Amino acid sequence: AILLAENEELLGKKVLITAGGTREALDPVRFLGNHSSGKMGYALARMAAAYGADVTLISAPSNLTTPKGVERIDVKTATEMAEAVFKYKEEQDVIIMAAAVADYRPKEFSDTKIKKKDGDLLIELERTEDILARLGKERENQVLVGFAAESDNLLENAQSKLKRKKADLIVANDISAQETGFASDDNQVTIIGKDIQVTLEKADKLEIARGVLDEVVKLLN
Ligand code: CTP
Ligand code: CA
């Protein structure tokens, strides 16, 4: 076996991680989704477990295998993800929102398959709850980490998310960069916090997870 971590700096800590892209159903056969592969969240779960943490992974649909020693809870929608996060949040030392949570869901769900007709179809959408923002508002003694996938103005947008959501760290990810996109094994991020800005070299998502968790460990100590 490969030795992932040389220390157990998260021993005795409880870490909650969300991963993957939520799916918002329109009818029994269709949903609104996104391109998140779940790889970043699963890598974080694997690395956090290697650091000795007690890891709960709340996962939107994903084909990835559950990392060893990690408790996985499967959810589909943003609403289910929010319910699971708030069910487990109390006891957590660290919460990392790596999931791509849908911002909108169809206002109505059709129990029967929507049949095509002539002309256009208009689907009304409503906002979902912002899980990270609510965690920030109801903050207890926890380290809160969010992600920001941006196609432009990376640092500016990430800074504003850090403030707006009252997170401790935002991991900013430039999705316009090639070879580091959603399904990619690699990623290139800048981690920002109130007093820090750390740019990690392009690396596989497990190495990025290590870099993120090292910043979390610093905040815990
Ligand atoms: N997030 C969340 N709940 C939502 C939407 C997002 O908890 N309903 C979290 C994500 O998991 C991520 C962070 O908020 O950690 C930032 O997500 P992002 O989509 O980049 O930001 P938004 O605030 O949704 O803004 P926008 O999509 O308009 O850029
Ligand atoms: Ca969003």
Side-chain angles (χ1 to χ4, degrees), residues 97 99 101-103 128-132 146-149 161 164-165:
M97 287 295 304
V101 187
D103 295 324
T128 58
E129 180 176 32
D130 190 319
I131 301 170
L132 183 59
F147 275 69
K161 279 173 190 168
R164 187 154 44 84
K165 299 182 190 239

Side-chain angles (χ1 to χ4, degrees), residues 1 5 9 11 27 34 39 64 74 91 112 131 162 180 219:
E9 285 177 304
L11 195 66
D27 70 12
N34 62 69
K39 281 179 183 169
L64 300 171
D74 287 320
E91 60 213 51
T112 52
I131 301 170
L162 182 76
T180 56
L219 289 180

Side-chain angles (χ1 to χ4, degrees), residues 115-126:
K115 301 302 284 182
K116 67 177 178 248
K117 298 186 199 125
D118 287 341
D120 301 336
L121 170 67
L122 208 62
I123 298 167
E124 217 181 328
L125 303 178
E126 64 186 11

Side-chain angles (χ1 to χ4, degrees), residues 41-165:
Y42 276 64
L44 279 161
R46 188 173 163 206
M47 191 55 83
Y51 273 40
D54 181 355
V55 183
T56 303
L57 176 64
I58 298 174
S59 179
S62 166
N63 292 324
L64 300 171
T65 46
T66 310
K68 247 216 193 95
V70 168
E71 185 192 2
R72 169 170 161 186
I73 290 141
D74 287 320
V75 297
K76 284 200 191 76
T77 65
T79 304
E80 288 172 12
M81 182 166 278
E83 277 169 13
V85 167
F86 288 100
K87 181 175 165 196
Y88 285 88
K89 78 149 197 181
E90 230 86 13
E91 60 213 51
Q92 304 299 326
D93 298 295
V94 181
I95 302 179
I96 305 178
M97 287 295 304
V101 187
D103 295 324
Y104 294 91
R105 69 176 152 250
K107 202 160 183 177
E108 264 153 44
F109 172 77
S110 168
D111 290 325
T112 52
K113 186 183 170 193
I114 299 166
K115 301 302 284 182
K116 67 177 178 248
K117 298 186 199 125
D118 287 341
D120 301 336
L121 170 67
L122 208 62
I123 298 167
E124 217 181 328
L125 303 178
E126 64 186 11
R127 285 283 295 275
T128 58
E129 180 176 32
D130 190 319
I131 301 170
L132 183 59
R134 185 170 148 204
L135 287 169
K137 214 189 276 168
E138 300 175 3
R139 164 191 286 288
E140 280 150 277
N141 217 355
Q142 290 159 333
V143 174
L144 269 189
V145 183
F147 275 69
E150 306 292 348
S151 62
D152 53 85
N153 300 327
L154 180 71
L155 291 182
E156 236 172 88
N157 284 328
Q159 280 291 354
S160 96
K161 279 173 190 168
L162 182 76
K163 288 207 193 79
R164 187 154 44 84
K165 299 182 190 239

